[in-house]
Amino acid sequence: MNALQEKILKEGRVLPGGVLKVDGFLNHRIDVAFLDEMGRELARLYSGEKIDKILTIEASGIGIACIAARHFGNCPVVFAKKSKTSNISDDFYCAQAHSFTHNKVSDIIVSREYLSAGERVLIIDDFLANGSALDALISLCRDAHAEVVGCGIAIEKVFQGGGDRIRERGVRVESLAMVSEMSDTSISFKD
Ligand code: 5GP
């Protein structure tokens, strides 16, 4: 998506440790109109596929998942939680994810009530780096016997290899911008 590449070049900042900061439109302040365009593009890429539910992970995936859902017939959005809050039942699916930005492993959970056998699920997230978050979300779907139709990612950092590894497993992964290299002074994309 050219507009996303341009926005990353204009507003993105590369932090030490290989983190791309796009707080101005995706991870802190949210550019709703722009996320709407991203959601439209994800729906175009997955047109022809029946999607029953969108699954994401808190916190940064929630915004784009909810806006994208408007383009998928207002399908429900479920986000995996990173901690078991008191309002969640004891009946949940659980998987472990290593957080790239916080450098720690945590359990992510989804109540069994909200993920069902046979559902066709699209997984959406803001970033794809090493692929740990997607691995965990795919594993939750597998445990629930739900079908992963594919993944829709805003920004994939191709050089970290997570996307290719997951594609090699036969999972469809569509990323709206694919960063092939980045440094303090430049960001380049794979088309
Ligand atoms: P992975 O599990 O693929 O290694 O990392 C994906 C998760 O880490 C995403 O949910 C995202 O929140 C976070 N993440 C990974 N890389 C970046 C990055 O460069 N910038 C930001 N803002 N978040 C990232």
Side-chain angles (χ1 to χ4, degrees):
M1 190 181 169
N2 285 341
L4 179 56
Q5 293 187 1
E6 281 162 22
K7 208 156 169 80
I8 293 168
L9 288 175
K10 194 163 161 234
E11 299 182 28
R13 212 151 53 82
V14 178
L15 302 183
V19 173
L20 177 60
K21 190 170 151 84
V22 284
D23 279 11
F25 66 96
L26 185 59
N27 292 129
H28 196 8
R29 180 174 61 178
I30 293 181
D31 183 337
V32 173
F34 194 72
L35 262 59
D36 191 56
E37 288 309 309
M38 292 202 271
R40 189 188 309 281
E41 179 61 6
L42 287 175
R44 188 189 68 77
L45 291 166
Y46 279 99
S47 64
E49 293 282 8
K50 180 174 170 285
I51 306 290
D52 299 318
K53 182 168 282 175
I54 290 174
L55 177 66
T56 187
I57 181 166
E58 68 177 352
S60 298
I62 297 174
I64 181 164
C66 288
I67 296 176
R70 303 282 289 161
H71 297 277
F72 285 90
N74 291 319
C75 71
V77 174
V78 171
F79 64 91
K81 296 195 176 208
K82 289 181 178 160
S83 57
K84 189 186 167 304
T85 47
S86 55
N87 58 347
I88 198 160
S89 81
D90 281 335
D91 213 7
F92 51 79
Y93 299 108
C94 180
Q96 285 205 320
H98 174 265
S99 163
F100 177 75
T101 41
H102 297 104
N103 194 21
K104 65 169 191 179
V105 176
S106 54
D107 286 342
I108 65 160
I109 59 175
V110 166
S111 172
R112 282 173 186 257
E113 200 181 340
Y114 298 131
L115 202 51
S116 307
E119 277 184 325
R120 291 172 57 80
V121 176
L122 175 67
I123 296 174
I124 287 187
D125 205 3
D126 59 340
F127 271 89
L128 169 54
N130 296 317
S132 180
L134 282 195
D135 282 340
L137 292 167
I138 292 167
S139 152
L140 294 175
C141 290
R142 197 186 311 118
D143 289 350
H145 300 288
E147 185 185 340
V148 177
V149 176
C151 304
I153 303 296
I155 304 171
E156 175 177 344
K157 292 184 294 175
V158 180
F159 56 90
Q160 288 187 244
D164 285 343
R165 187 175 52 72
I166 290 167
R167 288 183 187 97
E168 276 162 21
R169 282 166 50 195
V171 178
R172 181 176 174 191
V173 180
E174 299 285 355
S175 300
L176 299 181
M178 301 180 83
V179 176
S180 52
E181 275 179 274
M182 61 185 207
S183 70
D184 295 357
T185 50
S186 75
I187 299 174
S188 22
F189 298 94
K190 176 182 168 190
D191 282 321

